[in-house]
Amino acid sequence: MVLEFDPAFIQAPEHRPKPAVAEAGSIPLIDLSPLHLLEQHGGPLVAELEVLVAQVEAACRDWGFFQVINHGVPPAVVERAWAASRGFFALPPEERRRVRRDEVNPLGYYEAENTKNVRDWKEVFDFVVHEPAVIPSPGDAGGGVDRLIELRNQWPQFPHGFREALVEYAQATEELVFKLLELISLTLSLPPKRLHSFFKDQTSFIRLNHYPPCSSPHLALGVGRHKDAGALTILAQDDVGGLDVRRRSDGEWVRVKPIPNSFIINVGDIVQVWSNDKYESAEHRVLVNSERERFSIPFFFNPAHYVMVKPLPELVDEKNPAKYEEYNWGEFFKTRKNSDFKKLDVENIQIYHFKKAK
């Protein structure tokens, strides 16, 4: 796909990429082998697990981002997903648009998404992990009882094997994300499966991202600075690179170096609220370049639409009171999705809108 450069892509001067971004002191790299040893032996390998939990806790606390290796997702499954993604975005534009999404069904192909009211230099294909996914109707204005709609995937006819490859990928990465959720629970001194019930009727979705070469990479971004609204994100990125994470210690942007056979994990807003700010959802962005196209595949792990998100009762007491009012995930998700489609006159919804006054 060749995108025509348009003023809608231009970032405000303060948000344009710098010529150089630090790679030193990058996000933590965590080996998940101890999880698989536990499964194989069925016994409590306490020492190895304690080390792993401590690593995940430090990464969530200090960065909100980390990379994982030896994660258990077969390389062949990932490669088939990459091939499906590249094959789809190589199709003629009219073929891709056969499964173009709209405000009624936000699944399928789209090439005009906004982040913080600026258009992203990318095209995407979205599909839900479990069909149907139930959410409040994007067209409802709120203020009353929302109508619920069932989201169903729009699968293209081509390339051949597209659906099968991505369903296989979704199943494999979903296994991984539940293991990561258990690790997050353990870092909060909670039982491993404490958070599982929130995902009974999950609204998780997977996105195929394609960032074409950009004629003005100093003015545009593949995805503008943002934080992920859900619980966790698992990202596969190719060898081109371009993902930047804002380092908490000094506010500088740090480039995440691609590592073969790894996934990038980041904490979303929901985990920030559940943890009552022990962890923080990290701001990140995607840069583009003028020479090479880039592909990535994020898995956005989201709870059921009816889940009320608030600090977990076990983590709240008189000395550490709840820092957030509760909010409904379905309503939050709907509002964020609406802002993806059109430029708004106001900032899209953020968790700090639910922060309690001190």
Side-chain angles (χ1 to χ4, degrees):
M1 175 187 182
V2 178
L3 288 174
E4 294 294 328
F5 200 82
D6 179 279
F9 290 110
I10 297 176
Q11 295 283 329
E14 66 271 22
H15 299 308
R16 293 173 193 169
K18 293 181 183 178
V21 177
E23 278 197 353
S26 193
I27 66 173
L29 178 64
I30 298 177
D31 186 341
L32 293 183
S33 296
L35 278 184
H36 313 312
L37 287 170
L38 270 173
E39 292 168 3
Q40 289 169 17
H41 294 280
L45 298 178
V46 177
E48 288 92 335
L49 188 59
E50 283 184 349
V51 169
L52 178 58
V53 169
Q55 289 175 330
V56 172
E57 181 177 14
C60 292
R61 182 189 64 235
D62 300 338
W63 281 91
F65 262 82
F66 54 98
Q67 281 180 285
V68 296
I69 55 174
N70 296 319
H71 43 67
V73 178
V77 171
V78 180
E79 192 47 53
R80 282 191 284 273
W82 283 128
S85 177
R86 292 190 178 97
F88 176 76
F89 290 116
L91 292 172
E94 61 272 16
E95 195 66 37
R96 297 197 299 275
R97 291 192 192 110
R98 289 177 187 271
V99 289
R100 193 177 191 271
R101 75 192 205 194
D102 54 35
E103 291 188 48
V104 176
N105 184 1
L107 300 177
Y109 172 73
Y110 200 58
E111 77 295 344
E113 190 165 81
N114 296 299
T115 300
K116 295 189 183 294
N117 287 331
V118 181
R119 189 173 166 190
D120 296 330
W121 188 270
K122 69 178 181 187
E123 53 180 342
V124 306
F125 179 89
D126 290 347
F127 66 98
V128 291
V129 175
H130 290 283
E131 287 187 278
V134 179
I135 65 165
S137 172
D140 287 350
V145 178
D146 273 335
R147 182 170 55 91
L148 297 177
I149 61 169
E150 293 185 345
L151 298 185
R152 297 188 183 275
N153 293 323
Q154 298 192 79
W155 295 110
Q157 187 176 357
F158 302 106
H160 294 298
F162 180 82
R163 176 177 184 170
E164 292 77 9
L166 293 175
V167 167
E168 179 187 41
Y169 179 83
Q171 291 170 344
T173 47
E174 186 184 30
E175 285 184 31
L176 172 61
V177 79
F178 272 106
K179 292 173 188 172
L180 292 166
L181 190 68
E182 292 186 14
L183 284 173
I184 298 286
S185 296
L186 290 170
T187 70
L188 297 171
S189 301
L190 299 171
K193 297 190 183 331
R194 167 64 176 88
L195 304 173
H196 279 38
S197 62
F198 295 121
F199 298 89
K200 180 178 176 234
D201 300 307
Q202 61 178 279
T203 55
S204 304
F205 69 99
I206 291 177
R207 165 166 292 178
L208 310 181
N209 283 319
H210 176 227
Y211 305 95
C214 178
S215 59
S216 300
H218 60 294
L219 296 176
L221 289 169
V223 184
R225 75 200 194 288
H226 68 286
K227 298 183 176 188
D228 289 352
L232 294 171
T233 304
I234 296 182
L235 177 75
Q237 68 166 346
D238 65 12
D239 62 349
V240 175
L243 174 65
D244 291 344
V245 176
R246 194 186 286 280
R247 188 163 48 203
R248 194 159 300 147
S249 59
D250 58 9
E252 285 296 310
W253 289 106
V254 176
R255 177 64 44 82
V256 178
K257 191 175 180 181
I259 296 175
N261 300 317
S262 72
F263 286 109
I264 298 162
I265 314 300
N266 66 281
V267 165
D269 288 343
I270 289 175
V271 167
Q272 178 171 335
V273 173
W274 280 342
S275 74
N276 207 31
D277 281 353
K278 176 179 179 177
Y279 303 142
E280 185 179 332
S281 176
E283 196 169 42
H284 51 290
R285 67 183 186 185
V286 175
L287 272 62
V288 288
N289 67 79
S290 59
E291 297 173 0
R292 296 184 66 186
E293 62 183 345
R294 178 179 180 267
F295 297 88
S296 69
I297 308 177
F299 179 130
F300 298 104
F301 191 42
N302 299 331
H305 75 89
Y306 50 76
V307 166
M308 300 301 294
V309 181
K310 62 182 179 179
L312 296 168
E314 299 96 320
L315 306 182
V316 173
D317 56 30
E318 287 185 9
K319 293 182 180 179
N320 187 32
K323 297 178 180 177
Y324 295 89
E325 303 285 354
E326 71 175 11
Y327 63 89
N328 174 259
W329 166 247
E331 285 296 311
F332 192 97
F333 181 72
K334 177 189 75 174
T335 307
R336 285 289 281 263
K337 275 291 182 189
N338 283 347
S339 71
D340 288 347
F341 282 100
K342 54 196 173 192
K343 195 165 182 173
L344 304 176
D345 294 328
V346 295
E347 180 190 24
N348 61 4
I349 195 167
Q350 308 288 344
I351 56 169
Y352 65 72
H353 293 137
F354 299 94
K355 196 105 183 199
K356 290 187 175 182
K358 291 184 179 179

